[in-house]
């Protein structure tokens, strides 16, 4: 056998071996399950309207927040369509990690300081886990001045109130998202209006988002109190809003039956109603990311 035949035989053997190896590799790749793909966020803003959404601040990301709720629109020119008696919220949110955010804000309603922590428990995947789950807890500190004559046994701990929330959302498509939010509220000071509220309250919130264009979406949310007092001084909050994405921030226009913006008062102390002569409050939320 000459050198040419030896080289030809070796080349043929190498080619056959290479093709066989490629076939085995392709079979192995085909047998590997598809990698899980993380779903996009169900909501573009950190809030649906008033209620928290499952969107989180990224690691080392700062959010500056300003919210405003004007007075009752239904009073018309008497209060200049709400401009005469507005409430304001100002605060900040910091993404300590991609799954943990810390927040602090100040509300003109009851001079409230609100501390919050938000933490992701599970992510929605395109071909895996069906929902995003986020925990959210707040502590309110009522900074109002309490009259010692009216409250002779008042303690500083009476200023505190707490909420624990479980935010569960699903992004059904590019245009449609939905969220359910079970809430537990505890107040150290309650029932200031006699027979109107309990020390502990359970609430179920529902929220949805419908994308209208590339930068605008329509949001709607409603919260039902599970164990309200018989006297209907407070009502279940209903809110309609629009998200407007403008570069580095999301601007939200809001129409709500609640003027207070802190979570505890929103869920438990809403006095407005959309029907039957109740109050409607217009306002906005503005987030700026840094």
């Amino acid at each position: 056998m000459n050198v040419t035949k030896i080289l030809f035989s070796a080349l043929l053997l190498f080619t056959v071996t290479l093709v066989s190896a490629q076939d085995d590799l392709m079979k192995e790749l085909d047998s590997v399950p598809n990698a899980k793909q993380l779903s996009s966020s169900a909501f573009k803003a950190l809030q649906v309207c008033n209620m928290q959404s499952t969107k989180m601040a990224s690691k080392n990301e700062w959010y500056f927040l300003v919210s405003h709720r004007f007075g009752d629109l239904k009073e018309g020119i008497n209060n200049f369509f709400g401009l005469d008696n507005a409430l304001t919220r100002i605060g900040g949110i910091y993404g300590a990690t991609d799954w943990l955010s810390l927040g602090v804000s100040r509300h003109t309603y009851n001079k409230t300081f609100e501390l919050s922590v938000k933490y992701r428990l599970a992510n929605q995947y395109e071909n895996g886990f069906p929902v995003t789950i986020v925990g959210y807890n707040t502590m309110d500190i009522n900074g109002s001045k309490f009259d010692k004559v009216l409250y002779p046994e008042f303690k500083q701990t009476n200023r505190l109130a707490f909420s624990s929330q479980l935010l569960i959302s699903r992004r059904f498509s590019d245009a449609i998202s939905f969220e359910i939010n079970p809430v537990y509220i505890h107040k150290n000071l309650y029932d200031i209006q006699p027979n109107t509220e309990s020390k502990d309250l359970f609430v179920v919130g529902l929220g949805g988002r419908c994308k209208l264009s590339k930068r605008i979406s329509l949001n709607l949310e409603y919260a039902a109190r599970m164990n309200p007092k018989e006297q209907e001084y407070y009502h279940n909050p209903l809110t309609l809003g629009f998200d407007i994405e403008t570069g580095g921030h999301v601007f939200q226009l809001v129409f709500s039956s609640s003027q207070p913006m802190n979570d505890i008062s929103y869920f438990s102390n809403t006095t407005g109603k959309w029907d039957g002569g109740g109050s409607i409050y217009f306002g906005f939320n503005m987030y700026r990311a840094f």
Side-chain angles (χ1 to χ4, degrees):
M1 182 178 295
N2 57 33
V3 176
T4 302
K5 289 183 177 181
I6 294 174
L7 292 175
F8 179 79
S9 299
L11 179 61
L12 180 62
L13 180 61
F14 176 76
T15 302
V16 172
T17 303
L18 180 61
V19 171
S20 177
Q22 287 178 331
D23 289 339
D24 292 340
L25 179 60
M26 291 303 296
K27 289 178 181 178
E28 290 181 10
L29 290 175
D30 290 339
S31 66
V32 175
N34 294 329
K36 291 183 179 180
Q37 182 180 352
L38 187 65
S39 177
S40 299
S41 178
F43 296 89
K44 291 298 183 182
L46 299 179
Q47 293 174 261
V48 181
C49 295
N50 285 308
M51 188 172 74
Q52 286 290 312
S53 76
T54 52
K55 181 178 173 62
M56 301 280 296
S58 300
K59 183 178 181 180
N60 294 328
E61 188 174 45
W62 284 94
Y63 276 91
F64 176 68
L65 164 65
V66 176
S67 296
H68 211 64
R69 296 292 183 273
F70 300 103
D72 186 6
L73 285 175
K74 293 184 177 181
E75 290 188 17
I77 197 64
N78 290 331
N79 70 346
F80 205 66
F81 298 95
L83 293 177
D84 290 347
N85 53 343
L87 296 181
T88 301
R89 173 193 183 191
I90 186 169
I93 298 166
Y94 173 63
T97 69
D98 286 331
W99 60 269
L100 175 66
S101 298
L102 306 174
V104 59
S105 58
R106 172 58 157 78
H107 304 250
T108 52
Y109 180 76
N110 285 338
K111 303 183 185 300
T112 301
F113 291 92
E114 184 180 58
L115 307 177
S116 66
V117 57
K118 194 174 185 179
Y119 43 96
R120 184 185 294 112
L121 302 174
N123 274 316
Q124 178 183 343
Y125 287 89
E126 295 292 347
N127 53 345
F129 197 67
V131 296
T132 297
I133 304 176
V134 170
Y136 186 70
N137 297 86
T138 69
M139 181 178 76
D140 281 9
I141 305 171
N142 188 329
S144 301
K145 183 177 180 179
F146 286 89
D147 191 329
K148 292 184 179 181
V149 175
L150 295 177
Y151 303 94
E153 298 181 4
F154 181 81
K155 301 177 182 179
Q156 291 303 316
T157 54
N158 293 140
R159 296 183 181 277
L160 304 180
F162 308 87
S163 79
S164 297
Q165 308 178 38
L166 189 66
L167 317 173
I168 306 170
S169 73
R170 177 167 175 79
R171 182 176 182 266
F172 291 95
S173 67
D174 290 340
I176 302 295
S177 297
F178 180 77
E179 178 176 299
I180 184 170
N181 179 14
V183 183
Y184 167 68
I185 293 173
H186 172 84
K187 297 182 178 183
N188 287 352
L189 181 64
Y190 62 98
D191 207 27
I192 295 177
Q193 295 288 339
N195 197 34
T196 60
E197 56 179 341
S198 303
K199 184 175 184 178
D200 299 291
L201 179 67
F202 296 92
V203 180
V204 175
L206 301 173
R209 173 180 181 267
C210 178
K211 189 174 182 180
L212 303 179
S213 67
K214 184 178 180 179
R215 296 185 178 276
I216 299 176
S217 68
L218 171 66
N219 297 355
L220 184 66
E221 67 182 35
Y222 175 76
R225 297 165 300 143
M226 297 292 99
N227 58 325
K229 285 285 189 176
E230 292 182 3
Q231 182 175 329
E232 279 293 295
Y233 185 81
Y234 298 115
H235 309 288
N236 296 334
L238 174 63
T239 305
L240 173 72
F242 294 90
D243 284 359
I244 304 173
E245 298 179 57
T246 56
H249 64 268
V250 176
F251 187 76
Q252 293 182 299
L253 298 177
V254 173
F255 296 87
S256 178
S257 59
S258 173
Q259 190 180 26
M261 291 163 282
N262 58 309
D263 289 68
I264 292 171
S265 297
Y266 173 67
F267 288 122
S268 63
N269 298 121
T270 291
T271 56
K273 294 177 67 175
W274 281 79
D275 61 333
S279 301
I280 301 298
Y281 305 94
F282 169 70
F284 64 83
N285 303 323
M286 186 181 71
Y287 287 91
R288 178 68 184 179
F290 297 95

